[in-house]
Every structure is written in structure tokens, then in C-alpha cells.
Amino acid sequence: MNISTKLPQLFLRLSLGVGFIVPILDRLSQLGLPGEKNISWGSWENFIDYTSMLMPFLNRPLVNVMGSIATILELIIGIALILGIKTRLAAFGSFGLTLTFAICMAIFLGFKAPINYSVFPVCAGSLLLAAIQTHEWSVDQYFLNSHKIT
């Protein structure tokens, strides 16, 4: 059975990418304020409070640095996945970042926490996307096709 991976890999790429961008908008108060419906953090301060629960071994200034690093990585990975730029590298980055997140959640919040937030399926989806050889409808594919000798 030969089933095309074109549409599933596109949907996986876009859903992972958007899954990184939306939480950034949430923590920067762009989707609503703390306490509003469907808002997880609503402010940078609330996001850092949550991050400190995942890294209780760090002091507050270092948690702020780690939260900033994570946010920058999420932004880069999210944009790269949505556009399909260096897709395999972005997918491996997504896997590494979400696996780290899952491990911290499991250790410091309990094993059920990453399950409740479906972090392991995001890890698995990221790894699966990295294993796919070609990523249709991507910047990567555009440049690959434009350099083919005809």
C-alpha cells in the first residue's frame, strides 16, 4: 500500500509550527489577559512563574533567561516549520525542545502532566516529521526543485 505523505506531512508541519507560535502570543499578552477564557498565562510574569515550577533548581533571573531562550527557540522552530525552512533540522529541534519540556514536567509536576498536555505526541510527531525525506509545499522543496537539472 502506497499512501502519499504530502498532505499529512504538511498538516503535521503546520500544526506543530502553529503549536509553537500560539503559546508565545499567549505569554506576551497578545491573545488575552490572565484569567480570560482559553488563556494559559496571559503575561510574561505568569509564564515565568510556570517555568520556575519546571526548573525549581534555578533562581528567578536564570529562569527568566531560560524562558527567554525557550521562547526564542519556539519562535524560530515555529516559523521554520510553518514555512518549511530547514524542516528536518526544525523538526529535530522541536523534538529536543518538547522532550526536554516533557522530562521537566514529568520530574517536577508528575508523570501525568506531560500526558495531560499531549507533550509526548508532539515529540513523536516532531520525530516523525524529521524522518520524512521530502517536505512538499515548503521553501526547502522549492529550492530543491529550482536546483534540479532538467
Side-chain angles (χ1 to χ4, degrees):
M1 178 168 64
N2 184 7
I3 298 174
S4 173
T5 60
K6 290 180 182 181
L7 195 56
Q9 68 78 29
L10 176 64
F11 182 70
L12 181 57
R13 223 180 66 224
L14 294 176
S15 60
L16 289 171
V18 170
F20 279 108
I21 301 298
V22 170
I24 294 170
L25 296 173
D26 183 341
R27 71 186 68 143
L28 297 177
S29 306
Q30 298 302 301
L31 301 178
L33 298 174
E36 290 182 4
K37 185 178 179 180
N38 296 318
I39 300 301
S40 296
W41 302 293
S43 72
W44 182 259
E45 192 65 27
N46 288 344
F47 168 68
I48 294 302
D49 288 344
Y50 178 73
T51 304
S52 68
M53 291 186 337
L54 299 179
M55 299 178 179
F57 49 89
L58 296 178
N59 63 28
R60 186 70 173 200
L62 282 177
V63 170
N64 205 0
V65 168
M66 294 305 289
S68 298
I69 291 169
T71 299
I72 291 166
L73 288 173
E74 289 169 344
L75 180 64
I76 292 167
I77 291 168
I79 291 170
L81 289 172
I82 290 168
L83 297 177
I85 300 171
K86 299 287 185 187
T87 306
R88 292 190 82 205
L89 180 61
F92 277 123
S94 173
F95 169 72
L97 191 60
T98 56
L99 182 61
T100 301
F101 182 51
I103 290 168
C104 287
M105 286 180 84
I107 291 170
F108 297 109
L109 301 180
F111 188 74
K112 196 168 178 299
I115 293 170
N116 288 346
Y117 291 98
S118 301
V119 182
F120 293 117
V122 172
C123 289
S126 298
L127 199 54
L128 181 61
L129 185 63
I132 296 171
Q133 295 300 315
T134 59
H135 300 96
E136 297 293 327
W137 304 300
S138 67
V139 172
D140 293 338
Q141 191 65 32
Y142 171 79
F143 283 115
L144 184 64
N145 288 341
S146 68
H147 288 95
K148 283 185 180 177
I149 300 173
T150 54

